[in-house]
Amino acid sequence: MTIPASFIQELIARADVVEIVGRYVQLKKAGANFMGLCPFHGEKSPSFSVSPTKQFYHCFGCGAHGNAIGFLMEHAGMGFVEAVHDLAGQYGMQVPEDDASPEERARAAGQRQKQATLTEVLVKAGDAYRKHLRQSKGAIDYLKGRGVSGEIARHFGIGYAPAGWRTLASVFPDYDDPLLTESGLVIAAEADDSGEGKRYDRFRDRVMFPIRNVKGECIGFGGRVLGDEKPKYLNSPETPVFSKGRELYGLFEARAAFRDRGYALVTEGYMDVVALAQLGFPNAVATLGTACTPEHVQKLFRFTDSVVFSFDGDAAGRRAARKALDGALAYATDVRSIKFLFLPAEHDPDSFIREFGAEAFARFVNEATPLSRFMIEAAREGCDLGTAEGRAHMASNARPLWTALPEGALKRQLLGEIAALVQLSGQELGDLWAPAAAKAPPPVPSAAGDGDWNAWSERGGEWVEEAPRSFPERRRSKFSRPQSPPRPPPGGRKLPTSRSDIAVRLILSNMAEWEGLPHELHAMLCDLPGDHGQIFAWLDSQLHEHGVQPWAALREGLREQSFEALALRVMTGPEGGPLVSAEGEGATDAAGELRNVLDYMLDDLLKAQQNEAIAAYGSDPLAKERYKALEIRRLELRKRLKPGT
């Protein structure tokens, strides 16, 4: 649903941000404001300020800032609509829904009810698993054997799923309830010849670890066998409330410890987290049977500025660390610390601490490999730096890793380090790695350029030029012409809206379109220069963190962003009023307009890549084949391009 901006403003004006923040952060009066330890990063001296007059919070350490709605979204993990409803309920305000269609209201209400109901089902199952644990000597002996105390078991809500096939039937009288399968607790097998399908519990004879979201709600389970059976670990499937690529086990329990210990420790399993908490490291979390994703890293950096990834020292551990490196690079700013800890191959964190002690493990953490060193190690793996070929291979490996880093001092230093290893100057390596679009000759206008792009034809199995001129002469005449700046329109009229502007407007109006775009178009838009690329990269992070949001929610998140002015400009109508999202046939037309604009933008990108292939013709033997493949794509693309855009 779309919440009117006027209501949001009224809600923010009525809410007391000091009261809201004070429920989560201990605040003390300091002059006109209140101060406390920032909940978004670890610190020992208060730098988190809350202003009762401005109704705003700001951290002078990490830069986190916002109003009461923003705080609930960032700290309590709520989505925008959920935060608005939560805050409105606290102040006795009714969120208006008149601007939404009956179908939209019903769909939104149904989704909220479904999520709440699934959570209730999972909570009820968790209560039953904990009850079964108290009655299972085998499960208790297993936990004791792993050194888990009753206090830690209660802290993490650990339980036990008995060996029976339909144990949950005694917990849920309606065992055929579809919610049991939708929550991942029950598996419904395919129907047999009689037309009936069997239903049975997913988790059987396993120690059960409840998976909680950042608000503390149970959203799924992980189960571990008591012996060596396979699979050792079994997770809940993807459900409307659980996505393993976004959630971290133990995050809810470890949030406060991040601040106390100064870093987050990312491990590979449930038992690692529980054992580390038992042994004095309550700041540990674990991925849920999947590689560490950018969403995991982004979520961690909401709570701390320092992350240490802990892996086994074997080949599998190195592979997992490599994937974590890929996910972390985009968040490696100059004020954050990312390290990689490799334990001896025969140890996990639990066994290492029990053999060598907590102090030895803490020293291992302090001496962990910094991201910069591990990135260079990953790039030079398998490369013989004693040969020109090996150094070129390393440069090729390092380029995508270095490119993924955010701009800053770390990125510039690493350019120099990599350049020294491959025996180039920093300037030479920077020129070599410059974006292809910046080095390509300026493209000619599409109306006059088709002949230029089609100047190669296949004759007798060989690629030849149709034009009689030499290739260098053709390049000079077609691609080296100076480009004049566009003339301003007469009468002071505005320049026509660019395709990039149109894409921003259409996607901000309907964020669901962004979710449905293929990866190639995501990358194309995020790589646009200036504010356009930044706003699409920001949208991508918003989608991963909060899901699809209406324009009203995006508008709040855009405040004080460097590209806020761009968003407001494209979302302002010709009469000066805000644009509204299209509905019905209008929404269909908008989706068609977006596809058409993106097709033209993709065509421009393919043109630039063809320019690069032409420029590399003399030095790259694969340039012709690359040009041919690009031309085939462009021919397919032109078939669906609409005129007049």
Side-chain angles (χ1 to χ4, degrees):
M1 61 176 270
T2 301
I3 302 173
S6 58
F7 175 81
I8 295 171
Q9 293 169 0
E10 180 184 354
L11 177 61
I12 292 173
R14 188 177 300 188
D16 182 358
V17 70
V18 176
E19 178 187 354
I20 300 301
V21 174
R23 297 173 185 173
Y24 302 90
V25 180
Q26 186 174 354
L27 299 174
K28 292 183 179 180
K29 194 79 166 64
N33 298 329
F34 290 80
M35 298 292 295
L37 294 175
C38 179
F40 301 111
H41 81 289
E43 62 177 7
K44 297 181 180 179
S45 300
S47 61
F48 185 75
S49 174
V50 184
S51 171
T53 55
K54 297 179 181 178
Q55 286 296 299
F56 205 76
Y57 68 87
H58 178 79
C59 177
F60 295 96
C62 69
H65 61 276
N67 53 32
I69 296 175
F71 184 84
L72 290 176
M73 292 173 65
E74 290 301 317
H75 184 68
M78 299 182 184
F80 176 78
V81 174
E82 184 182 4
V84 170
H85 276 272
D86 184 272
L87 196 60
Q90 296 180 42
Y91 290 92
M93 300 174 66
Q94 180 66 40
V95 180
E97 298 183 347
D98 294 339
D99 59 327
S101 67
E103 293 80 9
E104 289 176 328
R105 291 200 299 271
R107 185 165 55 249
Q111 180 69 12
R112 289 194 298 271
Q113 182 60 42
K114 173 63 69 62
Q115 292 177 342
T117 305
L118 287 176
T119 300
E120 290 174 1
V121 168
L122 292 163
V123 168
K124 189 174 182 179
D127 291 341
Y129 291 143
R130 283 188 288 276
K131 180 179 178 181
H132 288 308
L133 176 62
R134 293 193 293 269
Q135 302 168 354
S136 172
K137 183 178 183 303
I140 292 174
D141 288 343
Y142 169 80
L143 291 172
K144 286 182 176 179
R146 296 296 300 266
V148 178
S149 68
E151 180 183 355
I152 288 294
R154 284 190 296 273
H155 179 66
F156 286 96
I158 297 174
Y160 172 69
W165 286 87
R166 294 167 64 94
T167 301
L168 288 177
S170 62
V171 181
F172 299 95
D174 184 7
Y175 192 71
D176 292 330
D177 189 340
L179 286 171
L180 295 180
T181 55
E182 198 165 353
S183 64
L185 293 170
V186 168
I187 295 175
E190 295 183 2
D192 55 21
D193 294 339
S194 65
E196 295 184 358
K198 295 182 179 178
R199 295 169 67 87
Y200 53 92
D201 294 358
R202 179 180 299 274
F203 300 102
R204 304 178 304 279
D205 195 20
R206 290 176 181 267
V207 173
M208 299 296 290
F209 301 87
I211 303 168
R212 295 163 173 159
N213 62 17
V214 75
K215 293 185 290 183
E217 299 170 337
C218 182
I219 56 175
F221 290 96
R224 193 203 188 283
V225 295
L226 303 182
D228 295 324
E229 298 84 8
K230 302 296 181 182
K232 183 183 294 185
Y233 285 101
L234 182 64
N235 294 318
S236 289
E238 300 280 316
T239 71
V241 296
F242 174 60
S243 173
K244 63 183 179 181
R246 296 180 183 177
E247 303 296 340
L248 289 158
Y249 178 70
L251 179 61
F252 174 74
E253 292 82 1
R255 291 181 308 162
F258 291 164
R259 183 175 65 229
D260 297 337
R261 302 302 295 261
Y263 66 95
L265 181 63
V266 184
T267 62
E268 297 185 86
Y270 303 100
M271 281 306 304
D272 285 338
V273 172
V274 174
L276 283 167
Q278 176 82 48
L279 297 170
F281 293 87
N283 53 323
V285 297
T287 54
L288 298 165
T290 184
C292 187
T293 66
E295 292 76 27
H296 288 143
V297 180
Q298 183 185 39
K299 183 167 287 190
L300 285 169
F301 278 127
R302 289 171 53 192
F303 301 98
T304 180
D305 283 333
S306 181
V307 174
V308 178
F309 293 100
S310 174
F311 298 99
D312 296 341
D314 57 12
R318 302 290 295 193
R319 287 194 299 270
R322 183 64 176 79
K323 292 178 180 178
L325 173 68
D326 291 338
L329 284 170
Y331 301 97
T333 65
D334 294 345
V335 297
R336 290 171 174 165
S337 170
I338 301 173
K339 293 183 177 182
F340 295 82
L341 170 66
F342 296 99
L343 293 171
E346 67 275 13
H347 283 293
D348 58 23
D350 180 14
S351 65
F352 184 91
I353 293 175
R354 294 186 186 281
E355 182 169 343
F356 300 104
E359 290 186 4
F361 185 75
R363 287 196 300 271
F364 244 62
V365 170
N366 291 332
E367 298 167 1
T369 304
L371 175 140
S372 56
R373 194 194 313 162
F374 184 53
M375 184 186 117
I376 290 178
E377 290 176 0
R380 69 182 295 173
E381 186 176 1
C383 301
D384 180 3
L385 299 189
T387 66
E389 291 83 356
R391 293 191 293 272
H393 189 185
M394 178 186 170
S396 177
N397 291 344
R399 181 178 182 178
L401 303 176
W402 181 85
T403 303
L405 288 167
E407 292 299 328
L410 175 63
K411 186 171 186 177
R412 294 192 180 189
Q413 290 179 79
L414 281 172
L415 179 66
E417 289 189 30
I418 297 167
L421 287 169
V422 300
Q423 297 185 14
L424 293 173
S425 70
Q427 181 67 47
E428 289 172 329
L429 188 60
D431 290 342
L432 183 64
W433 285 355
K439 298 189 297 182
V444 296
S446 57
D450 284 347
D452 297 319
W453 305 115
N454 296 322
W456 300 91
S457 64
E458 192 168 12
R459 294 177 180 172
E462 295 183 357
W463 284 83
V464 298
E465 283 190 273
E466 292 181 352
R469 292 171 293 171
S470 66
F471 182 82
E473 180 184 356
R474 183 173 176 274
R475 278 195 65 199
R476 286 194 299 272
S477 63
K478 294 297 182 182
F479 301 118
S480 301
R481 293 176 295 187
Q483 299 294 304
S484 302
R487 297 179 180 177
R493 291 184 286 111
K494 292 182 179 180
L495 288 170
T497 303
S498 69
R499 288 172 180 158
S500 299
D501 280 354
I502 295 172
V504 172
R505 171 176 59 82
L506 292 171
I507 293 176
L508 285 178
S509 300
N510 185 3
M511 192 179 178
E513 291 291 343
W514 177 255
E515 187 177 31
L517 293 180
H519 175 76
E520 181 183 41
L521 296 182
H522 272 217
M524 177 187 73
L525 293 173
C526 290
D527 288 341
L528 289 173
D531 288 344
H532 291 90
Q534 292 182 40
I535 198 169
F536 283 118
W538 176 81
L539 271 171
D540 201 43
S541 68
Q542 290 294 298
L543 177 66
H544 288 308
E545 190 68 20
H546 305 297
V548 174
Q549 301 175 69
W551 162 242
L554 295 173
R555 173 66 190 92
E556 287 299 311
L558 283 163
R559 295 191 188 279
E560 298 190 15
Q561 297 283 356
S562 61
F563 37 81
E564 180 183 9
L566 166 63
L568 295 181
R569 174 170 61 80
V570 300
M571 292 297 289
T572 301
E575 304 300 325
L579 294 174
V580 296
S581 301
E583 297 182 3
E585 294 183 0
T588 303
D589 292 341
E593 182 184 8
L594 177 63
R595 286 193 298 271
N596 201 38
V597 166
L598 294 181
D599 280 347
Y600 273 96
M601 294 176 71
L602 181 58
D603 189 54
D604 288 341
L605 176 64
L606 297 179
K607 284 181 186 179
Q609 292 174 354
Q610 284 185 315
N611 271 339
E612 186 179 7
I614 292 173
Y617 172 67
S619 58
D620 185 353
L622 299 178
K624 290 180 181 179
E625 291 301 318
R626 193 159 64 248
Y627 184 96
K628 179 181 177 181
L630 290 167
E631 184 60 19
I632 292 173
R633 288 202 61 196
R634 289 197 64 223
L635 288 172
E636 294 173 350
L637 190 59
R638 287 183 209 139
K639 292 179 182 179
R640 66 173 189 263
L641 286 175
K642 298 179 181 179
T645 299

